[in-house]
């Protein structure tokens, strides 16, 4: 399959591409070459795929074609894709956007990357990040700036901003991101794609650590899939999920099925206000409109609950735990007091129990993913001195941590999905939060919303006509 038909096929879902490969309607090498050509064409303005491994990708594609010819079938066999630069890929740099780590080459694949490759994926390259993954932009001194495909003057988000931009621009059908402060979900919202923050511990994070470190999993931190539809999130999570190699011996693992089949059957709590996070009125209105449409379909929708934990008190535990987690491995970081750290873990457990009680009464919780749409690139002061304009007022940059953190401290799964465009024509997003290990519930509920209300919309530059 060549020419226009091959180019058109690149815009299909990962599932459709795997089916086309299995049906021998296209070869992995043809698909990989087409994706490489698209990256070389479209990435000039965006700068999302900052490490390119095209020669090895061609070799892997030829090997996949040989396996397909023998009749082998795997969930991602022959599928070309990219992964976030902070996920180690053997033989490629993993700098975390920090000049101190320039030139460091990963000696082996991260465990999640191993699972993608074992499922047949062909890794074409790595996507951009901010320094030490600590920004909602994806600009760093090593690789430069990534721009949003919807408007190159704006941020694609961070820290998986290169991943989200590549997805939105059609330069990859699937991505592997990471999330400790919204880093999967925020870029998904700003670029209009889908992302899933798994339950903490569901996907092994070994190999997603600052260069030269290898120890216990970092609190709060997860790796997870990003895609252009929920079906692809579920396909990828099926490959990625399960105990890591250090814990897997003697264990069997199965994710709990989604509790409901139709939107009308769900019990939904919708939250549009956060005590610490200013939220654009248009985004809050879009989430409220989603709630109204769910009510019209027969879902049991509540807009408040006494079971909801105090989000301010929860954030007061999350913030210092985050600071400890993101400083690990950073040059010049100061270790925390051990007893103070254990006190934070005790407080985290108390909030986890409160959320468990809430999910006895509700199946899912819906909130905005982020309080603003894609914002202009900011090269000014340090991130803590920056502001974001919300409802006509300048607000602290990191006040926006509130919405992503709702799911982070209690270790809960959260699926980000696009819910429409703002008056400026920029994507707006919501997140679906579920109970512990209820990852299929949040993905499939988001999938029902996708079917009912529409899903991925390509940026204007990619639309026909």
């Amino acid at each position: 399959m060549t020419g226009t038909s091959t180019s058109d096929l690149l815009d299909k879902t990962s599932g459709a591409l795997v089916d086309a490969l299995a049906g021998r309607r296209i070869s992995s090498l043809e698909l990989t070459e087409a994706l490489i050509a698209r990256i070389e064409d479209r990435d000039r303005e965006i700068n999302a795929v900052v490490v390119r491994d095209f020669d090895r990708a061609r070799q892997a594609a030829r090997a996949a074609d040989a396996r397909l010819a023998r009749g082998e079938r795997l969930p991602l066999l022959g599928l070309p894709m990219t992964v976030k630069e902070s996920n180690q890929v053997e033989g490629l740099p993993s700098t975390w956007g920090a000049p101190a780590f320039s030139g460091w080459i990963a000696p082996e694949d991260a465990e999640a990357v191993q699972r993608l490759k074992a499922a047949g994926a062909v890794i074409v390259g790595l996507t951009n990040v901010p320094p030490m993954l600590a920004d909602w932009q994806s600009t760093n001194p090593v690789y430069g700036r990534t721009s949003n495909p919807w408007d190159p003057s704006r941020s694609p988000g961070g820290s998986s901003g290169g991943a989200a931009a590549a997805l939105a621009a059609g330069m990859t059908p699937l991505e592997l991101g990471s999330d400790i402060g919204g880093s999967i979900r925020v870029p998904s919202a700003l670029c209009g794609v889908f992302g899933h923050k798994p339950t903490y511990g569901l996907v092994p994070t070994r190999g997603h650590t600052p260069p030269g470190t290898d120890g216990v999993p970092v609190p709060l931190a997860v790796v997870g899939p990003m895609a252009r539809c929920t079906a692809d999130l579920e396909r990828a999570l099926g490959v990625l999920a399960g105990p890591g190699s250090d814990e897997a011996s003697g264990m069997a693992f199965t994710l709990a099925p989604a509790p409901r089949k139709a939107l009308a059957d769900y019990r939904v709590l919708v939250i549009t206000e956060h005590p610490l996070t200013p939220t654009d009125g248009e985004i809050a209105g879009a989430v409220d409109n989603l709630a109204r449409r769910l009510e019209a379909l027969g879902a049991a929708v509540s807009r408040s609950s006494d079971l909801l934990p105090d989000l301010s008190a929860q954030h007061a535990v999350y913030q210092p735990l985050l600071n400890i987690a993101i400083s690990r491995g950073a040059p010049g970081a100061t270790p925390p007091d051990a007893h103070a750290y254990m006190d934070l873990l005790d407080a985290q457990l108390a909030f986890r129990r409160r959320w468990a009680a809430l999910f006895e009464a509700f199946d899912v919780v819906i909130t905005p993913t982020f309080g603003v749409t894609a914002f202009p690139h900011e090269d000014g002061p340090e991130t803590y001195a920056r502001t974001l304009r919300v409802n006509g007022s300048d607000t602290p940059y990191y006040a926006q941590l509130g919405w992503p953190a709702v799911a982070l401290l209690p270790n809960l799964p959260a699926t980000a999905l696009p819910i429409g465009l703002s008056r400026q024509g920029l994507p707006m997003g919501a997140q679906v939060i579920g109970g512990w290990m209820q990852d299929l519930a949040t993905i499939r509920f988001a999938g029902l919303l996708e079917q009912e209300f529409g899903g991925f919309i390509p940026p204007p530059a990619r639309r026909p006509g």
Side-chain angles (χ1 to χ4, degrees):
M1 189 178 294
T2 58
T4 302
S5 57
T6 303
S7 179
D8 290 344
L9 195 60
L10 284 175
D11 294 322
K12 303 295 184 183
T13 67
S14 296
L17 293 176
V18 170
D19 288 345
L21 289 162
R24 311 302 302 280
R25 297 191 296 277
I26 190 169
S27 71
S28 178
L29 183 58
E30 287 175 310
L31 196 61
T32 299
E33 291 285 11
L35 192 64
I36 289 170
R38 181 172 280 191
I39 291 169
E40 291 175 333
D41 176 39
R42 295 184 178 179
D43 207 30
R44 287 191 292 265
E45 186 177 32
I46 297 169
N47 190 41
V49 186
V50 292
V51 176
R52 300 179 179 185
D53 199 22
F54 294 164
D55 288 342
R56 289 201 305 177
R58 292 180 176 107
Q59 294 173 10
R62 292 187 184 98
D65 283 331
R67 298 176 71 181
L68 288 162
R70 293 194 296 267
E72 293 186 39
R73 299 294 179 263
L74 292 168
L76 304 175
L77 185 53
L79 181 75
M81 62 175 290
T82 57
V83 301
K84 185 177 181 178
E85 196 260 12
S86 52
N87 292 291
Q88 294 173 19
V89 177
E90 181 182 1
L92 297 182
S94 180
T95 69
W96 286 49
F101 299 131
S102 290
W104 190 85
I105 302 298
E108 61 182 359
D109 292 331
E111 194 157 353
V113 173
Q114 292 175 20
R115 293 183 178 186
L116 291 171
K117 288 184 175 180
V122 173
I123 308 301
V124 173
L126 310 180
T127 50
N128 206 17
V129 298
M132 297 307 295
L133 317 188
D135 197 356
W136 289 312
Q137 302 187 104
S138 291
T139 302
N140 64 70
V142 180
Y143 301 115
R145 166 185 286 159
T146 297
S147 296
N148 193 311
W150 287 84
D151 179 348
S153 72
R154 296 175 183 268
S155 170
S159 60
S160 308
L167 281 165
M171 295 187 292
T172 186
L174 191 65
E175 251 285 352
L176 178 67
S178 64
D179 196 314
I180 195 173
S183 289
I184 286 173
R185 293 162 292 152
V186 173
S188 295
L190 269 53
C191 291
V193 298
F194 294 81
H196 182 70
K197 176 205 117 40
T199 297
Y200 179 80
L202 176 61
V203 178
T205 55
R206 184 173 182 178
H208 185 274
T209 53
T213 62
D214 179 19
V216 298
V218 176
L220 307 172
V222 301
V223 295
M226 301 169 68
R228 294 195 293 264
C229 69
T230 53
D232 286 352
L233 294 180
E234 184 169 340
R235 175 182 288 265
L237 189 67
V239 168
L240 296 166
S245 57
D246 292 330
E247 296 86 22
S249 178
M251 294 178 66
F253 176 79
T254 304
L255 272 175
R260 318 286 177 189
K261 299 294 186 184
L263 289 173
D265 300 329
Y266 275 82
R267 303 166 300 166
V268 184
L269 175 62
V270 178
I271 309 168
T272 58
E273 295 183 3
H274 191 291
L276 302 177
T277 301
T279 304
D280 180 84
E282 200 172 356
I283 294 174
V287 175
D288 185 64
N289 182 59
L290 183 63
R292 293 170 190 248
R293 294 174 72 175
L294 285 170
E295 286 177 318
L297 289 169
V301 178
S302 300
R303 288 175 173 77
S304 64
S305 172
D306 293 339
L307 295 170
L308 182 68
D310 182 328
L311 297 183
S312 294
Q314 176 174 302
H315 200 82
V317 177
Y318 165 76
Q319 186 72 67
L321 192 57
L322 172 69
N323 292 341
I324 291 169
I326 64 175
S327 67
R328 183 173 185 260
T334 302
D337 175 81
H339 286 181
Y341 173 64
M342 293 179 72
D343 288 343
L344 289 172
L345 296 182
D346 287 343
Q348 180 188 33
L349 177 60
F351 278 105
R352 289 184 61 191
R353 289 169 174 166
R354 292 174 200 172
W355 280 99
L358 180 143
F359 282 112
E360 291 180 4
F362 297 97
D363 299 309
V364 294
V365 175
I366 300 177
T367 81
T369 309
F370 203 55
V372 296
T373 55
F375 52 89
H377 296 296
E378 173 61 77
D379 294 323
E382 293 295 322
T383 53
Y384 283 96
R386 293 176 187 163
T387 60
L388 289 173
R389 195 82 172 165
V390 184
N391 297 325
S393 300
D394 290 331
T395 65
Y397 191 73
Y398 280 118
Q400 288 300 322
L401 265 173
W403 286 126
V406 170
L408 280 159
L409 186 78
N411 292 341
L412 300 176
T415 304
L417 69 154
I419 57 170
L421 301 179
S422 70
R423 286 186 292 271
Q424 287 185 288
L426 297 170
M428 300 183 292
Q431 61 178 339
V432 179
I433 302 170
W436 188 78
M437 289 292 175
Q438 291 294 316
D439 293 69
L440 291 183
T442 67
I443 292 175
R444 291 183 182 174
F445 182 84
L448 293 172
L449 295 178
E450 178 187 10
Q451 294 169 20
E452 186 71 30
F453 305 133
F456 172 73
I457 303 169
R462 287 192 48 218
R463 294 179 202 164

